[in-house]
């Protein structure tokens, strides 16, 4: 029903993201992002935004919450610098749930040169807490590119977490204790330029000898996309590992 309604209003569903609907006209663009029964509406066509609201009100019972400030754990704040996306409350709740709200912070998400394998330590009697924390950390990566690599490492052991894996997860929580106010800033001024950076290690996985790729894309000075992922195949040299990372 929603798809039929939004299509009737002239919106097209995104091919890469089916929860994103857009409409372009001479007056500008209107975008609607839907998650179950929550939505964010934005755009440059202010008249079109008002007409969209009226069209949706005709088919659904909606409540307009005004200017965006909080959405699915994402906090949106504005000042003279621009727009900041952060997850301060989400981090605070995560630390509180796992009794780390008063822990001593550390300056990095992971210890240097740490190598973990599938058989590092004894199996945890109950891996529920481990999986719960890592699942939350994956969602936190939406505004924290700085933890992407560490989260990629610990998420490999979700099926069978071991004793040596749990302290690494706790170390990430201690890092978040000192960086809970950090987020992604979209400045109100600056250059309009796309830049991409890539890197990799070489045979970093002790179990498979596969390398890990990392890349990020910036629009001006703002991060808009990033990922850290183990490569699909074993690279025979550091040059090949770097090339795979760049091609991704």
């Amino acid at each position: 029903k929603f798809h039929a309604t939004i299509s009737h209003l002239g919106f097209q569903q995104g091919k890469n993201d089916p929860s994103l609907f857009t409409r372009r006209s001479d007056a500008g663009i209107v975008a609607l992002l839907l998650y179950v029964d929550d939505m964010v509406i934005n755009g440059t066509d202010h008249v079109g935004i008002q007409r969209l609201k009226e069209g949706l009100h005709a088919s659904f019972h909606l409540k307009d919450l005004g200017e965006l400030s909080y959405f699915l754990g994402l906090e949106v704040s504005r000042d003279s610098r621009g727009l900041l996306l952060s997850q301060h409350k989400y981090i605070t709740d995560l630390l509180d749930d796992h009794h780390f709200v008063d822990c001593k912070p550390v300056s990095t998400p992971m210890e240097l040169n740490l190598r973990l394998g599938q058989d590092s330590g004894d199996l945890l009697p109950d891996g529920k807490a481990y999986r719960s924390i890592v699942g939350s950390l994956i969602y936190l990566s939406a505004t924290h590119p700085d933890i992407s690599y560490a989260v990629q490492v610990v998420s490999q052991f979700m099926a069978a977490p071991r004793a040596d894996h749990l302290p690494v997860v706790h170390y990430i929580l201690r890092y978040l204790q000192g960086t809970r106010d950090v987020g992604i800033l979209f400045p109100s001024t600056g250059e309009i330029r796309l830049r991409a950076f890539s890197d990799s290690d070489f045979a970093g996985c002790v179990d498979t000898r596969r390398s890990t790729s990392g890349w990020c894309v910036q629009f001006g000075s703002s991060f808009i996309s990033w990922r850290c992922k183990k490569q699909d195949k074993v690279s025979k040299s550091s040059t090949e590992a770097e090339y795979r990372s760049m091609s991704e």
Side-chain angles (χ1 to χ4, degrees), residues 67-81:
E67 192 174 70
L68 180 64
S69 60
Y70 191 83
F71 184 71
L72 303 177
L74 300 175
E75 298 171 51
V76 183
S77 58
R78 301 165 181 81
D79 57 26
S80 58
R81 300 176 300 163

Side-chain angles (χ1 to χ4, degrees), residues 203-216:
C205 178
V206 298
D207 297 308
T208 65
R209 301 298 293 167
R210 287 190 286 172
S211 306
T212 299
S213 296
W215 54 259
C216 64

Side-chain angles (χ1 to χ4, degrees), residues 89-106:
K89 182 179 182 302
Y90 191 90
I91 294 174
T92 301
D93 291 343
L94 174 62
L95 295 175
D96 188 36
D97 289 344
H98 297 280
H99 311 292
F100 273 78
V101 72
D102 295 319
C103 68
K104 183 178 179 181
V106 292

Side-chain angles (χ1 to χ4, degrees), residues 41-232:
I41 300 173
N42 201 359
T44 56
D45 181 3
H46 301 292
V47 174
I49 291 176
Q50 186 58 39
R51 289 176 178 171
L52 170 61
K53 290 181 181 180
E54 294 170 357
L56 292 174
H57 271 293
S59 300
F60 304 99
H61 177 69
L62 301 179
K63 183 178 181 181
D64 190 344
L65 299 178
E67 192 174 70
L68 180 64
S69 60
Y70 191 83
F71 184 71
L72 303 177
L74 300 175
E75 298 171 51
V76 183
S77 58
R78 301 165 181 81
D79 57 26
S80 58
R81 300 176 300 163
L83 185 146
L84 179 69
L85 291 181
S86 63
Q87 291 174 284
H88 179 277
K89 182 179 182 302
Y90 191 90
I91 294 174
T92 301
D93 291 343
L94 174 62
L95 295 175
D96 188 36
D97 289 344
H98 297 280
H99 311 292
F100 273 78
V101 72
D102 295 319
C103 68
K104 183 178 179 181
V106 292
S107 58
T108 59
M110 199 172 186
E111 293 182 21
L112 190 64
N113 297 323
L114 181 65
R115 305 287 290 271
L116 292 176
Q118 299 285 352
D119 300 322
S120 298
D122 298 328
L123 278 172
L124 294 176
D126 184 3
K128 183 178 179 180
Y130 182 93
R131 285 186 280 269
S132 174
I133 297 173
V134 175
S136 297
L137 293 176
I138 292 172
Y139 189 64
L140 273 173
S141 300
T143 59
H144 281 69
D146 46 342
I147 67 172
S148 292
Y149 174 74
V151 172
Q152 181 270 149
V153 172
V154 296
S155 63
Q156 297 178 47
F157 313 115
M158 295 271 273
R162 293 179 174 267
D164 289 357
H165 303 151
L166 188 60
V168 183
V169 170
H170 290 166
Y171 198 90
I172 301 175
L173 293 180
R174 293 175 58 195
Y175 172 76
L176 291 171
Q177 166 74 313
T179 59
R180 66 175 78 183
D181 292 322
V182 174
I184 301 293
L185 176 67
F186 296 92
S188 54
T189 59
E191 60 179 349
I192 300 177
R193 181 186 178 191
L194 277 174
R195 291 181 293 185
F197 303 88
S198 68
D199 197 6
S200 77
D201 65 0
F202 176 56
C205 178
V206 298
D207 297 308
T208 65
R209 301 298 293 167
R210 287 190 286 172
S211 306
T212 299
S213 296
W215 54 259
C216 64
V217 180
Q218 286 182 297
F219 181 70
S221 60
S222 305
F223 285 96
I224 60 172
S225 183
W226 55 89
R227 194 177 188 188
C228 190
K229 181 180 182 294
K230 190 187 295 184
Q231 295 180 1
D232 295 332

